[in-house]
Amino acid sequence: MWTDRSLDDEQSTVNWLRWLMHSDAQFDKISGNTDSPGEMLFLLALNFHNNQMTAITDLVCNTLGMKITVKTSALVKIRHIFTMELFTEQVVAAHAVKIPVTPNLDARCTGSLPVHSILQLLKSRVFSKHKVSIRQELPNLLNILDITEALLCVKNGSTLITQLVANNPEAFLDVCRSLISRGEKQEEDSLGGLRRLELLRMLCLVNPKAALLVRNFCAEYCSMPGFAVAVSLQLAESNQSEDPCASDIVPYFTGLLLGSDVTVRNWFSSFVKAGQKRKPDCMLGLLRKYLLDQLIGLTPVNGQLIDVSKIVTASSLLRLYNALKGIATLKYSDEETGCLLRLIISHPAPCTAGAHFIALGICTLIASPSLLS
C-alpha cells in the first residue's frame, strides 16, 4: 500500500513539475523574469546535470531564507526525475537558447544569470552533442555588441564573449571594433581597460589570422595602444618558430611614430611617456624587452661582420630607437645604451645597405650623445 502511494505521489510530483515547465511563461510575466519558477527549474536541472550539489544547496537555502542541511544521498530520486524524465540534456539545450537576456545587466546583478547557463552548456558542448543550432537563435537571444560592455563587468564575461564569438565568427571584427572604439586612450591605467585588453587578446588567439586587422583598429581610433603592443608580441611569438624575421613589430611602431598622421603620432608618444612611469612588466616594458633582445641578436660577436641579411633589420631598429627617443622622449636604460652602442660600432659588410647602416649609426651618436657618456 505504501509502495503504491509512494508511486502515486511521485507521479503526481512529476506531473506538477511538467505543468510548471509549460506554465513558466505566465509566471515570468508576473515575476518580471526574476526568480520565476521556470528559472529555478532550469537552474536546478543544470546543476543536477553537472553534479553541482553545493549550488543546489545554496539555491534552496537562499530561497527558504534559512541555513539547512541537504543530504546528497537523499536527492537520488529527485535528481533522476530532473535529469532523466523532465530535463534531459537535449531538453536543456533546446530550452537554453530561448532564455531571454537579463534586462539592465551590469556588475550589480547577482545569482546565476542566463549568460552563466549558456556558458556552462557551451563548455560541455551540449549544443553540438544534441545538434541544437544556436547560430540562428543567438542573434535573437542577445546582441553581442549591445551586451559586450556589460559582460566585461561580470565574472566569466570575457570567456563567455570569446565562446559566443567562436560560435558566431561573422561577428568577430564587429565585436573587436566595438571594444577598441569604446576603449581608453591609455587602457593600462584602469581595471576595465586591462579587462578589455585581455579579452581582445583572447579573441585574437581564437582567430590569429585576423589579429593584424584588429590591431589596425587601434590606430584608426587612437585607442588601446597597450593592446597594439600585446597582440604584436603575441604574433611575433607565434611566428618565431616558423620565421624569426617575419615579425613586423619594428616597421609597425616606426610607422606610428614617423607616419604623416600627427594624431596617431601623439597618441603613441603619450603611451611611451606614460609607460615609463609604470612597472617594468607593463606593455611598454615588454616591448622594450623584445627590442633589446633584437639588439642583442643582431650584434655580431668577436669582431665579426654583421651578416648581410641582418643589416637592413639593424638599420630599421636604429631608426625605431631614434624615433622612440626623439619623438616619444624615451629614456634609454643602461642596458639599452650599452647594446645600442655595441651595435652601432660593429662592422657591417661592405655593401650599399652597410653604408646606410654606418650613416644611421653616426647620426644616432650625434642625436643621442648620452650613448658615449
Side-chain angles (χ1 to χ4, degrees), residues 47-219:
N47 286 322
F48 273 129
H49 272 289
N50 292 287
N51 202 30
Q52 299 291 330
M53 296 306 173
T54 302
I56 292 174
T57 301
D58 291 342
L59 179 60
V60 171
C61 292
N62 290 335
T63 303
L64 294 176
M66 63 184 74
K67 187 70 174 178
I68 62 172
T69 301
V70 179
K71 294 182 179 180
T72 304
S73 58
L75 299 178
V76 175
K77 180 172 291 187
I78 194 168
R79 178 180 181 178
H80 177 83
I81 292 173
F82 266 88
T83 59
M84 304 304 293
E85 296 189 41
L86 299 176
F87 287 94
T88 62
E89 274 195 344
Q90 189 170 4
V91 172
V92 169
H95 181 72
V97 295
K98 299 176 183 177
I99 301 176
V101 178
T102 302
N104 302 318
L105 178 65
D106 60 26
R108 295 184 296 274
C109 290
T110 59
S112 297
L113 303 168
V115 293
H116 298 129
S117 304
I118 298 293
L119 173 61
Q120 182 60 44
L121 295 172
L122 285 170
K123 284 182 175 180
S124 56
R125 298 187 176 276
V126 170
F127 294 118
S128 57
K129 180 179 178 181
H130 295 286
K131 299 180 180 179
V132 175
S133 175
I134 60 175
R135 284 182 175 271
Q136 295 179 350
E137 295 287 352
L138 278 178
N140 298 325
L141 177 64
L142 47 87
N143 185 315
I144 296 179
L145 297 183
D146 289 342
I147 70 165
T148 294
E149 296 299 316
L151 285 177
L152 282 172
C153 302
V154 178
K155 184 179 180 181
N156 294 325
S158 296
T159 304
L160 174 60
I161 294 172
T162 305
Q163 294 276 3
L164 290 175
V165 173
N167 286 280
N168 196 29
E170 59 271 17
F172 177 84
L173 288 178
D174 289 336
V175 170
C176 292
R177 180 187 288 273
S178 175
L179 285 167
I180 292 174
S181 65
R182 300 181 186 185
E184 302 173 25
K185 298 293 182 183
Q186 305 295 333
E187 75 273 39
E188 292 180 86
D189 293 333
S190 69
L191 178 60
L194 291 173
R195 284 184 176 179
R196 191 181 300 268
L197 187 156
E198 188 57 32
L199 170 58
L200 284 163
R201 289 180 65 177
M202 291 168 63
L203 289 171
C204 287
L205 282 173
V206 173
N207 188 5
K209 292 183 178 179
L212 293 179
L213 287 174
V214 176
R215 186 182 66 177
N216 290 339
F217 295 151
C218 296

Side-chain angles (χ1 to χ4, degrees), residues 9-27:
D9 290 344
E10 180 179 331
Q11 188 58 48
S12 297
T13 303
V14 171
N15 292 337
W16 177 71
L17 290 171
R18 282 204 176 98
W19 169 75
L20 278 180
M21 289 173 62
H22 296 295
S23 304
D24 62 335
Q26 300 175 15
F27 288 98

